[in-house]
Amino acid sequence: MRISVIGCGYLGAVHAAAMAKLGHDVVGLDIDEAKVAELAAGRAPFYEPGLPELLTETVATGRLRFTTDPAEVVGARVHFVCVGTPQKRGEFAADLTYVDAAFAGLLPYLTAGDIVAGKSTVPVGTAERLALDLAPTGATLVWNPEFLREGFAVKDTLHPDRLVYGVPAGKPGEDAKAVLDEVYAVPLSENTPLVVTDYATAQLVKVAANSFLATKISFINAMAELCEATGADVTGLADAIGYDARIGRKFLNAGLGFGGGCLPKDIRAFMARAGELGVDQALSFLREVDSINMRRRVRMVDLVREVCHGSIVGRRIAVLGAAFKPNSDDVRDSPALSVAAQMQLQGAHVVVTDPQAINNARKRWPDLTFADTAEEAATGADAVLLATEWAEYRDLDPEKLALVVNEKRILDGRNVLDPAAWRAAGWTYRALGRR
Ligand code: UDX
């Protein structure tokens, strides 16, 4: 099937390549010429495991091309809208500028029978408004939210947990469903669960899922606060409650909390939308979820100060990790960078390292010092903070690292190190929610 993908950022680039892999004939459209040139050459403009290989393979088949010319979407049966919806400056609400521009740009090129599938995360009610704009063209709008995780984006797109179609009532909805079933024929043949629903539910599914995940993380981080006050251990607590199948152990890792381009802005936009709908009380708990999350960062700076005997001024602190999570070079709202920057502002000399995200981190916080390796960052350090749990930091040898630091103080911001091993090597080990 001929498909167009509008917006080739994280979501769109992966979606375009994955659709080509599924056998479709895909054109990716973006306004950024440099990005289009990179993608067209089969190179990923950001770090995502498996994407460079997928791009090279699919571009070589001739079934995947990229362009800045909107007229090239003509002839596609389905147009996926994958542009970003960042948080508005100074407000909680989502900024819909890019979504509105993408739809406005698409209108002149649509013909009757085309399907426009919205994938961007939008405030509930947006699809209903956009469907009215599309009506005169004879195209049908479907809301088809995306749940991919950075670091697993290729796998999540080719083998999703579930597919959700928000379709209009009656025949247009049935026809649109049939076309999407063809698009996703391969994952559907692998028995991927499919939920066919209305626009409002489809839009809510995405923000509800992200709110639940954020709540789960903040729940365990709230328990970490209790553990800190009582001498209990949050990791043992998470293991024990996680054995209850109704609770589950996933997303119960206490530490520096959530960041990235989705969870923080999505829960805020959801609260803003609930306010507009007159049901702000229903989501007031998300304010608490957000506060617990942000408090962890402050607590970590305090913990570093504590191990440095009350002051970090002039101390050299190594921060291992800048990305908001491992296997990503994304530093948007990164807890690691936020803590690093706070410590720097409070007078510490902070040296940050990351296997992939140094360039992005430097753009955002040019005043921080950057090192290429954990060993280089830790050289002469008065404390070492593991802030993003990349495998190479989890596997660090405490005996070896002890040789380069000034003081053997390790702070485990993600509760992934073995405290016994580090203590046995002479380190002072501290973590959030742990003795
Ligand atoms: C998230 C959703 O998982 C995905 O379905 C949606 O499409 C986009 O938002 P992503 O932002 O890639 O994906 O990251 P995710 O893996 O969900 O992690 C989010 C944050 O939570 C990271 O900062 C991570 O470090 C943190 N986290 C995760 C915890 O602090 N503890 C955990 O137990 C799990």
Side-chain angles (χ1 to χ4, degrees), residues 25-232:
D25 186 349
V26 184
V27 59
L29 174 71
D30 201 286
I31 51 172
D32 183 336
E33 283 184 15
K35 193 184 284 175
V36 163
E38 282 289 284
L39 288 164
R43 287 190 295 268
F46 47 83
Y47 177 77
E48 179 62 39
L51 183 59
E53 295 81 356
L54 185 66
L55 279 170
T56 317
E57 179 193 331
T58 47
V59 168
T61 62
R63 286 200 313 272
L64 176 61
R65 38 200 191 88
F66 292 93
T67 181
T68 53
D69 178 4
E72 291 200 38
V73 307
V74 173
R77 184 80 197 279
V78 182
H79 308 270
F80 285 101
V81 176
C82 297
V83 294
T85 50
Q87 187 175 339
K88 271 189 192 166
R89 227 169 239 283
E91 277 181 58
F92 268 18
D95 179 353
L96 293 179
T97 312
Y98 304 112
V99 171
D100 289 338
F103 273 82
L106 194 54
L107 280 180
Y109 302 105
L110 293 175
T111 44
D114 282 6
I115 306 290
V116 179
K119 281 205 157 292
S120 309
T121 303
V122 293
V124 58
T126 307
E128 290 79 348
R129 169 171 70 76
L130 294 169
L132 292 179
D133 296 344
L134 288 191
T137 66
T140 304
L141 181 69
V142 177
W143 214 261
N144 176 218
E146 181 57 56
F147 307 100
L148 64 81
R149 297 162 297 169
E150 294 187 14
F152 301 92
V154 171
K155 177 185 162 288
D156 286 352
T157 310
L158 290 172
H159 308 283
D161 281 349
R162 75 290 209 189
L163 288 163
V164 176
Y165 308 165
V167 296
K171 180 95 170 63
E174 281 163 27
D175 292 348
K177 176 187 176 292
V179 175
L180 279 193
D181 282 351
E182 226 180 299
V183 171
Y184 294 120
V186 176
L188 287 172
S189 72
E190 294 166 355
N191 294 324
T192 303
L194 168 64
V195 178
V196 181
T197 183
D198 49 61
Y199 288 149
T201 309
Q203 293 164 93
L204 280 174
V205 167
K206 176 63 194 274
V207 276
N210 278 355
S211 297
F212 192 87
L213 295 173
T215 303
K216 206 170 173 191
I217 298 168
S218 278
F219 173 82
I220 201 64
N221 282 331
M223 294 304 111
E225 293 190 12
L226 266 297
C227 289
E228 284 155 19
T230 55

Side-chain angles (χ1 to χ4, degrees), residues 331-362:
V331 298
R332 285 175 294 172
D333 201 356
S334 162
L337 268 191
S338 159
V339 169
Q342 271 309 312
M343 293 192 297
Q344 173 89 3
L345 289 169
Q346 293 179 28
H349 175 211
V350 179
V351 185
V352 181
T353 186
D354 191 284
Q356 293 294 338
I358 291 180
N359 284 345
N360 287 341
R362 190 180 275 121

